[in-house]
Every structure is written in C-alpha cells, then in structure tokens.
Amino acid sequence: MVCLTGAGMSAESGIPTFRGEDGIWKNHQPEELATPGAFVRDPNLVWEFYNWRREKIAKSSPNKGHKALAEMEKLYKEFYIITQNVDGLHQKAGSKNVIELHGDIWYVRCTEHCTKETSLFSLYDVPLKELPPHCPNCGALLRPHVIWFGETLPEAPLEAALELSANNDFFIVVGTSAMVQPAASLPRYALRAKVHTIEINPEPTPITDIVNEYVPANAGEALPLLLKEMKTYL
Ligand code: BJW
C-alpha cells in the first residue's frame, strides 16, 4: 500500500497549504520565494518566509490523519508514504517508511558546499538566531534543504516513488492539488499500472475524474475511518 501526501495532509495541524483558500501563494508569488533565482535576488526575504514556516511547524503536532497512517504502517507488511511535505509530521506521528520528495525544512546546506561532511546539517533553532543564516564552517550563505521550482528532485527518492507508485495494490492520494510535477504524475503512473487509486481531498483536483474512488473529505476525518475499515478486514 502506498500513500502520496501533500500540504492538505498537514492543514489540520495548522500548517497553511500552498494553493488552498488560505494558501501561502495567495499572498506571495512562488517565484518570489521558492526558486533559486528568488534566493539569489533576496536571500533575506526567502529566509523570512522559511523562518515563519519553521515557527508554524515547530508549534504543530501530527493530526488524526498522520496518526491513522502511522497505524496503517503497523498493519501491513509493506506500507509506504511518499510525501511532498517538508514538515516531518509523518515521522513525528511514528511513520517509518517515508519518502520525502521535496526535502526537509529542518535541514540546511552551505551554498558553497564548503566541505562534504559539514555542508548539510540539521538546524532546529526557532526562530533562527541569524537571518539569513551563514555556514559556521566557511561563512557562505546557508539555504533550506528543500526543492524549489526549477530544481530537479533528488534521484533516489524520486526513483523509489516512481517504482512504488506502479507496484502496489492500493494507492491513496491525500491533500495534494496534484499540480506540481513530477509528484502530480505519480497517481497517473499508478492508474496506468491498474493500481486501485483513491483520492482524499475536500476539493476536486485534476485527478479526481480519473481515480477509482474520490472521497470528498478532510484527511483527519477520512483516514481514521479508512483505518477502522482496514482493521475489520484483517
Ligand atoms: C486538504 C485539506 C485537508 C486542504 N485534508 N486535503 C511539467 C509540466 C509543467 C511544468 C513542469 C513540468 N515538470 C516540472 C515542471 C515545473 C514545476 C511545476 O510542476 N510547475 C507547476 C506549477 C506547473 N516543477 C518543478 O520545478 C519541480 N522540478 C522538476 O520537475 O525538475 C525537473 C524540471 C525542471 C524544470 C522544468 C522541467 C523539468 C520541482 C517542484 C518543487 C516544488 N517545491 C515546493 C516548495 C517545497 C519547499 C517548501 O515547502 O517550501 O513544494 S512548491 C509547493 O508545491 C511545495 C509542495 O510540496 C508542492 C505541491 O503542493 P501541494 O502539496 O499539492 O499543496 P497545495 O497547496 O497545492 O494543495 C493542497 C491541497 O490540499 C488542496 O487540493 C486542498 O483542497 C487540499 N486540502 N485541506 C485533505 N484537511
């Protein structure tokens, strides 16, 4: 069983989505904040955005949906989460098999790759002590260890996600607008491989008409119900 998650998964934990009603992109252009060009132009603005997000995430906890997925992992021999989220809430809920496609907001890396050993490291300060933060080793700018528009996704997680999407019995898609590539194509790979695909999202998306089942509900409502159903069949 494979579950692909997006920002809506963490909405009930109080973390704003990107494109929803109160989505982040309502007030900011993606090009201003989540591209390598934006970072070169104004690292301070980009880091203010990430500092704000880190504060929100630090105050948040996994919701009923995250917890239900963590329980599902215990029921099945093979259960994987592919997430576009960078908040770490799946792991905080207890999920172990998590593939992060867009990085991890709690990691930073040196923009000069100063030395291999120290160029990528966790930084949990909330708020950050220095804005923008600099590499403790060489003094160059640090950047968040996330994937921005125009950047390629890390090879290993992407390959694992492609492989898993086409080789499973159930593919559950939760809380993603299915607009950002390449993650948006994963449900299509699953469908092409004749995998039974279920979408959970209060709003329809570009994949709603092609999935096998559409559940118009919040993650925190639908996933605990799905878990309950699963337990009755095991
Ligand atoms: C609920 C809910 C509740 C609410 N319960 N649900 C092919 C064609 C066209 C363009 C491209 C293409 N291939 C690549 C591109 C370019 C680009 C792209 O896709 N652009 C599109 C906008 C068209 N992709 C890329 O650049 C990617 N790189 C790449 O492909 O490299 C190769 C390449 C490069 C250039 C050209 C061609 C090839 C990289 C994408 C990186 C995305 N990065 C971000 C920021 C990450 C760091 C951070 O978090 O700050 O990732 S952008 C942002 O969008 C973030 C998200 O992970 C991602 C997806 O958003 P998501 O998760 O779907 O959230 P929302 O807000 O959109 O939707 C929330 C949903 O939840 C809604 O549907 C709600 O209804 C629902 N919801 N409450 C359940 N309670």
mmCIF file of all heavy atoms in Angstrom, residues 57-73:
data_model
loop_
_atom_site.group_PDB
_atom_site.id
_atom_site.type_symbol
_atom_site.label_atom_id
_atom_site.label_comp_id
_atom_site.label_asym_id
_atom_site.label_seq_id
_atom_site.Cartn_x
_atom_site.Cartn_y
_atom_site.Cartn_z
ATOM 1 N N ILE A 57 5.509 25.225 11.981
ATOM 2 C CA ILE A 57 5.672 23.768 12.056
ATOM 3 C C ILE A 57 6.118 23.359 13.462
ATOM 4 O O ILE A 57 5.632 22.370 14.012
ATOM 5 C CB ILE A 57 6.662 23.277 10.966
ATOM 6 C CG1 ILE A 57 6.077 23.520 9.574
ATOM 7 C CG2 ILE A 57 7.000 21.804 11.152
ATOM 8 C CD1 ILE A 57 7.058 23.379 8.423
ATOM 9 N N ALA A 58 7.046 24.145 14.035
ATOM 10 C CA ALA A 58 7.547 23.794 15.372
ATOM 11 C C ALA A 58 6.411 23.758 16.390
ATOM 12 O O ALA A 58 6.433 22.969 17.332
ATOM 13 C CB ALA A 58 8.614 24.795 15.801
ATOM 14 N N LYS A 59 5.411 24.631 16.191
ATOM 15 C CA LYS A 59 4.286 24.681 17.144
ATOM 16 C C LYS A 59 3.234 23.613 16.858
ATOM 17 O O LYS A 59 2.277 23.472 17.600
ATOM 18 C CB LYS A 59 3.614 26.060 17.044
ATOM 19 C CG LYS A 59 4.406 27.173 17.704
ATOM 20 C CD LYS A 59 3.578 28.441 17.733
ATOM 21 C CE LYS A 59 4.461 29.651 17.990
ATOM 22 N NZ LYS A 59 4.157 30.779 17.098
ATOM 23 N N SER A 60 3.375 22.891 15.752
ATOM 24 C CA SER A 60 2.303 21.984 15.333
ATOM 25 C C SER A 60 2.563 20.541 15.786
ATOM 26 O O SER A 60 3.687 20.190 16.132
ATOM 27 C CB SER A 60 2.168 22.012 13.807
ATOM 28 O OG SER A 60 3.279 21.349 13.258
ATOM 29 N N SER A 61 1.515 19.751 15.760
ATOM 30 C CA SER A 61 1.635 18.318 16.097
ATOM 31 C C SER A 61 0.940 17.513 15.009
ATOM 32 O O SER A 61 0.039 18.021 14.335
ATOM 33 C CB SER A 61 0.917 18.008 17.404
ATOM 34 O OG SER A 61 1.298 18.901 18.385
ATOM 35 N N PRO A 62 1.296 16.243 14.901
ATOM 36 C CA PRO A 62 0.597 15.399 13.919
ATOM 37 C C PRO A 62 -0.895 15.359 14.224
ATOM 38 O O PRO A 62 -1.286 15.366 15.395
ATOM 39 C CB PRO A 62 1.217 14.006 14.139
ATOM 40 C CG PRO A 62 2.504 14.248 14.853
ATOM 41 C CD PRO A 62 2.349 15.515 15.625
ATOM 42 N N ASN A 63 -1.710 15.345 13.179
ATOM 43 C CA ASN A 63 -3.169 15.308 13.365
ATOM 44 C C ASN A 63 -3.671 13.860 13.245
ATOM 45 O O ASN A 63 -2.886 12.923 13.057
ATOM 46 C CB ASN A 63 -3.861 16.269 12.385
ATOM 47 C CG ASN A 63 -3.614 15.893 10.946
ATOM 48 O OD1 ASN A 63 -3.815 14.733 10.552
ATOM 49 N ND2 ASN A 63 -3.165 16.839 10.133
ATOM 50 N N LYS A 64 -4.992 13.713 13.335
ATOM 51 C CA LYS A 64 -5.587 12.355 13.317
ATOM 52 C C LYS A 64 -5.241 11.602 12.032
ATOM 53 O O LYS A 64 -5.136 10.381 12.028
ATOM 54 C CB LYS A 64 -7.111 12.458 13.432
ATOM 55 C CG LYS A 64 -7.598 12.855 14.800
ATOM 56 C CD LYS A 64 -9.112 12.881 14.775
ATOM 57 C CE LYS A 64 -9.682 13.578 15.986
ATOM 58 N NZ LYS A 64 -11.079 13.989 15.755
ATOM 59 N N GLY A 65 -5.091 12.328 10.944
ATOM 60 C CA GLY A 65 -4.752 11.701 9.661
ATOM 61 C C GLY A 65 -3.341 11.123 9.691
ATOM 62 O O GLY A 65 -3.109 9.978 9.284
ATOM 63 N N HIS A 66 -2.362 11.937 10.165
ATOM 64 C CA HIS A 66 -0.975 11.431 10.284
ATOM 65 C C HIS A 66 -0.954 10.183 11.170
ATOM 66 O O HIS A 66 -0.272 9.192 10.867
ATOM 67 C CB HIS A 66 -0.064 12.475 10.942
ATOM 68 C CG HIS A 66 0.180 13.717 10.158
ATOM 69 N ND1 HIS A 66 -0.366 14.932 10.497
ATOM 70 C CD2 HIS A 66 0.946 13.953 9.053
ATOM 71 C CE1 HIS A 66 0.050 15.864 9.651
ATOM 72 N NE2 HIS A 66 0.837 15.290 8.757
ATOM 73 N N LYS A 67 -1.696 10.272 12.279
ATOM 74 C CA LYS A 67 -1.664 9.148 13.242
ATOM 75 C C LYS A 67 -2.285 7.890 12.628
ATOM 76 O O LYS A 67 -1.796 6.779 12.851
ATOM 77 C CB LYS A 67 -2.395 9.549 14.530
ATOM 78 C CG LYS A 67 -1.606 10.574 15.338
ATOM 79 C CD LYS A 67 -2.365 11.004 16.568
ATOM 80 C CE LYS A 67 -1.689 12.210 17.209
ATOM 81 N NZ LYS A 67 -2.553 12.904 18.167
ATOM 82 N N ALA A 68 -3.359 8.064 11.858
ATOM 83 C CA ALA A 68 -4.001 6.908 11.215
ATOM 84 C C ALA A 68 -3.030 6.241 10.233
ATOM 85 O O ALA A 68 -2.931 5.003 10.171
ATOM 86 C CB ALA A 68 -5.279 7.339 10.504
ATOM 87 N N LEU A 69 -2.291 7.049 9.475
ATOM 88 C CA LEU A 69 -1.324 6.469 8.519
ATOM 89 C C LEU A 69 -0.218 5.715 9.254
ATOM 90 O O LEU A 69 0.218 4.642 8.815
ATOM 91 C CB LEU A 69 -0.720 7.562 7.631
ATOM 92 C CG LEU A 69 -1.650 8.186 6.589
ATOM 93 C CD1 LEU A 69 -0.920 9.270 5.803
ATOM 94 C CD2 LEU A 69 -2.185 7.137 5.621
ATOM 95 N N ALA A 70 0.219 6.253 10.393
ATOM 96 C CA ALA A 70 1.256 5.569 11.175
ATOM 97 C C ALA A 70 0.726 4.221 11.679
ATOM 98 O O ALA A 70 1.472 3.234 11.704
ATOM 99 C CB ALA A 70 1.711 6.447 12.335
ATOM 100 N N GLU A 71 -0.545 4.181 12.033
ATOM 101 C CA GLU A 71 -1.166 2.914 12.481
ATOM 102 C C GLU A 71 -1.249 1.922 11.324
ATOM 103 O O GLU A 71 -1.031 0.733 11.489
ATOM 104 C CB GLU A 71 -2.581 3.184 13.018
ATOM 105 C CG GLU A 71 -2.613 3.773 14.416
ATOM 106 C CD GLU A 71 -1.976 2.850 15.439
ATOM 107 O OE1 GLU A 71 -2.388 1.682 15.512
ATOM 108 O OE2 GLU A 71 -1.037 3.295 16.127
ATOM 109 N N MET A 72 -1.610 2.428 10.137
ATOM 110 C CA MET A 72 -1.722 1.548 8.953
ATOM 111 C C MET A 72 -0.398 0.855 8.673
ATOM 112 O O MET A 72 -0.351 -0.305 8.283
ATOM 113 C CB MET A 72 -2.140 2.355 7.720
ATOM 114 C CG MET A 72 -3.593 2.770 7.738
ATOM 115 S SD MET A 72 -3.966 3.761 6.265
ATOM 116 C CE MET A 72 -5.437 4.635 6.824
ATOM 117 N N GLU A 73 0.709 1.591 8.863
ATOM 118 C CA GLU A 73 2.027 1.000 8.603
ATOM 119 C C GLU A 73 2.260 -0.231 9.479
ATOM 120 O O GLU A 73 2.945 -1.176 9.079
ATOM 121 C CB GLU A 73 3.118 2.046 8.855
ATOM 122 C CG GLU A 73 4.485 1.603 8.398
ATOM 123 C CD GLU A 73 5.562 2.643 8.654
ATOM 124 O OE1 GLU A 73 5.632 3.634 7.900
ATOM 125 O OE2 GLU A 73 6.321 2.471 9.611
#
